[in-house]
Amino acid sequence: MGDEQPTTESRLDVRRINTAQFETAKRRWQTSLVLKGILFLLGVTIALGNTVWFAPWVMVALALISESLQILSDLAKGDAESVLRMLDRCRTFGRPISHAELRDLVIAAPRHTRMVATGTAADEYFTGSAPPGPRRALEGVLESAWYTRHLSLAMARVYAALVGVIVIASLVMLAAAPRYTSAASPDAVVKAVAAWLTLSVSLGMIKNVIAYFRMASRCERTVHSTERLLAVGDVTETEAVRQWYEYQIARAGMPLLPEWLWTRMRSRLGEAWRARAE
């Protein structure tokens, strides 16, 4: 009963569920960013223009909703990363997904993802040609880490530029707000609160910039270590599992990468990877 291996006729499309989980996480994350953008624009309007007494409360509400969506996005991403690790293990080490794992997925999966499947993990994700086993696992880690490094580095630069603009604008707002009102007036208090709220939200986004750069650095180390192991020729399962596990843990802790970035860079990275592998 407990952990029998499922047949390829499983009625659960694991890949579809995993894709839906990542899409849900990205939608929540993107909505959170949009709300942060609205909060920033509202802060600029309040700090440099006319104000109303309830404006700071609107900003606080936007900030709370944005942070709540970020938390929900992180939870959905955690679930998605867990399923992706299961799929990676199936593809690379050749270990089928158990019935117990599939039952857990049935409980967690949204209704619209419970579709008739052609198999539990039949789709090809990596380009490596080695049979399932330690070497295939290392090839998968190498390819994933190489792609993730370049995507994380690009996202870190975009995010750093965006956050830099917002932080500088917030500081300018904070410095300029008193000039537009009397220091003792209620408007001055509203403008100062708006500027501080905008600054605090923008400073909170800096941690993502650091996380993207840190992940790019971690991926670079993973690429070098897996290349050294693959060059040896005879890869042990212990070495492969250690590299795979360390990389999976690092990837689980990184922020999401937006779909538009992957769409924009996919072709160029694919060409570079094929040229690198030749």
Side-chain angles (χ1 to χ4, degrees):
M1 292 285 294
D3 291 328
E4 306 95 325
Q5 294 177 351
T7 67
T8 57
E9 301 301 323
S10 170
R11 292 178 57 82
L12 195 66
D13 190 338
V14 180
R15 182 62 184 165
R16 185 185 297 273
I17 290 174
N18 190 228
T19 300
Q21 288 173 320
F22 274 112
E23 288 175 351
T24 298
K26 288 180 180 181
R27 278 197 303 271
R28 293 170 179 173
W29 175 56
Q30 289 166 354
T31 304
S32 174
L33 290 179
V34 168
L35 291 177
K36 283 183 172 68
I38 295 173
L39 191 151
F40 172 71
L41 294 176
L42 184 59
V44 171
T45 303
I46 293 172
L48 304 180
N50 295 325
T51 63
V52 290
W53 67 269
F54 57 82
W57 295 103
V58 174
M59 294 187 67
V60 169
L62 286 174
L64 289 175
I65 295 172
S66 176
E67 291 304 314
S68 298
L69 285 171
Q70 182 64 64
I71 292 172
L72 292 174
S73 173
D74 291 342
L75 292 174
K77 179 182 180 293
D79 292 338
E81 289 287 355
S82 178
V83 175
L84 185 58
R85 284 194 295 272
M86 184 168 57
L87 283 171
D88 283 350
R89 185 198 66 203
C90 181
R91 295 186 189 102
T92 57
F93 288 102
R95 300 174 183 174
I97 300 172
S98 70
H99 279 306
E101 290 170 323
L102 287 176
R103 283 195 295 270
D104 290 340
L105 279 176
V106 170
I107 295 172
R111 182 179 297 275
H112 69 275
T113 62
R114 300 172 193 171
M115 309 289 288
V116 175
T118 57
T120 57
D123 56 316
E124 289 298 324
Y125 190 72
F126 300 115
T127 59
S129 57
R135 188 171 188 83
R136 174 70 175 272
L138 280 184
E139 288 178 350
V141 169
L142 172 61
E143 184 173 351
S144 179
W146 186 86
Y147 273 90
T148 302
R149 175 182 178 272
H150 288 283
L151 291 169
S152 297
L153 199 55
M155 190 59 190
R157 290 166 178 164
V158 171
Y159 221 84
L162 177 63
V163 172
V165 169
I166 294 176
V167 169
I168 292 172
S170 301
L171 291 173
V172 171
M173 286 163 47
L174 191 60
R179 299 182 183 180
Y180 290 84
T181 57
S182 169
S185 70
D187 280 355
V189 177
V190 172
K191 291 178 184 294
V193 170
W196 275 112
L197 279 172
T198 306
L199 179 61
S200 64
V201 170
S202 59
L203 290 176
M205 296 170 67
I206 293 177
K207 69 180 189 303
N208 280 349
V209 178
I210 297 172
Y212 284 124
F213 276 118
R214 184 178 296 167
M215 187 60 189
S217 176
R218 181 67 182 84
C219 286
E220 185 175 15
R221 295 198 302 272
T222 299
V223 167
H224 292 328
S225 60
T226 51
E227 283 181 330
R228 285 196 299 269
L229 288 172
L230 287 170
V232 172
D234 188 16
V235 181
T236 67
E237 184 168 352
T238 300
E239 292 170 331
V241 169
R242 182 173 63 82
Q243 288 292 330
W244 181 85
Y245 181 77
E246 289 178 354
Y247 172 68
Q248 294 291 342
I249 293 300
R251 188 176 66 179
M254 73 173 289
L256 284 164
L257 293 167
E259 194 65 31
W260 63 263
L261 182 68
W262 169 241
T263 302
R264 183 180 180 85
M265 299 185 66
R266 181 175 186 173
S267 177
R268 180 156 49 95
L269 288 178
E271 291 176 3
W273 174 256
R274 288 189 293 271
R276 183 181 185 277
E278 291 177 356

